[in-house]
């Protein structure tokens, strides 16, 4: 059997980006065909979810909550927003086939920042 050379890191980065783009395209095409606004999608291996969707608009807007809630209703997801304390997030979770999934949006940007001051979300420059 011939020796295999590992792929260069930039090749793996391009592959990862292509997979992410494909996933978002498929999900948002499905959503568009069902009257749903596009969301930002990503996969996770570090949390209890395989697939996460969030609103790509401005922080804590009524449009964000409505758009994500409509996806949750379409998928039949349960509202899993924390009842312990308000962390500025609304969340829904369920399954898409065999994928464990979560949808979320920021409902109060100040509370979110207070609850998650070290969140990479804001260090990346996003203003959800």
């Amino acid at each position: 059997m011939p020796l295999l050379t590992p792929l260069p890191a930039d090749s793996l980065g391009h592959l990862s980006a292509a997979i992410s783009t494909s996933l978002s395209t498929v999900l948002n095409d499905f959503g568009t065909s069902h009257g749903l606004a596009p969301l930002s999608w990503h996969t996770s291996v570090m949390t209890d979810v395989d697939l996460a969707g969030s609103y790509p608009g401005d922080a804590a807007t009524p449009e964000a909550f409505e758009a994500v809630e409509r996806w949750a209703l379409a998928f039949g997801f349960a509202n899993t927003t924390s009842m312990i304390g308000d962390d500025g997030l609304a969340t829904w979770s369920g399954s898409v086939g065999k994928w464990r999934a979560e949808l979320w949006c920021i409902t109060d940007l100040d509370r979110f920042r207070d609850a998650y001051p070290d969140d990479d979300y804001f260090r990346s420059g996003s203003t959800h």
Side-chain angles (χ1 to χ4, degrees), residues 28-72:
N28 285 327
D29 285 352
F30 170 84
T32 298
S33 71
H34 289 84
L36 303 170
L39 297 183
S40 294
W41 296 95
H42 70 275
T43 59
S44 175
V45 294
M46 302 297 287
T47 64
D48 289 340
V49 300
D50 299 319
L51 177 64
S54 62
Y55 187 71
D58 294 330
T61 64
E63 296 83 17
F65 184 88
E66 181 181 337
V68 176
E69 183 179 49
R70 288 190 61 191
W71 274 91

Side-chain angles (χ1 to χ4, degrees), residues 2-127:
L3 290 176
L4 297 176
T5 304
L7 291 170
D10 61 337
S11 292
L12 294 175
H14 292 298
L15 178 60
S16 176
I19 291 169
S20 180
T21 298
S22 297
L23 176 71
S24 292
T25 299
V26 167
L27 285 164
N28 285 327
D29 285 352
F30 170 84
T32 298
S33 71
H34 289 84
L36 303 170
L39 297 183
S40 294
W41 296 95
H42 70 275
T43 59
S44 175
V45 294
M46 302 297 287
T47 64
D48 289 340
V49 300
D50 299 319
L51 177 64
S54 62
Y55 187 71
D58 294 330
T61 64
E63 296 83 17
F65 184 88
E66 181 181 337
V68 176
E69 183 179 49
R70 288 190 61 191
W71 274 91
L73 290 170
F75 283 159
F77 285 5
N79 185 314
T80 53
T81 300
S82 174
M83 299 298 167
I84 298 168
D86 188 355
D87 59 2
L89 284 175
T91 58
W92 297 263
S93 63
S95 297
V96 177
K98 293 183 179 182
W99 294 64
R100 297 167 300 167
E102 180 178 76
L103 302 173
W104 62 274
C105 67
I106 296 173
T107 56
D108 185 310
L109 186 56
D110 292 331
R111 285 185 177 166
F112 180 84
R113 285 182 172 154
D114 286 345
Y116 307 102
D118 297 325
D119 194 281
D120 287 337
Y121 185 73
F122 292 104
R123 281 189 260 144
S124 67
S126 180
T127 57

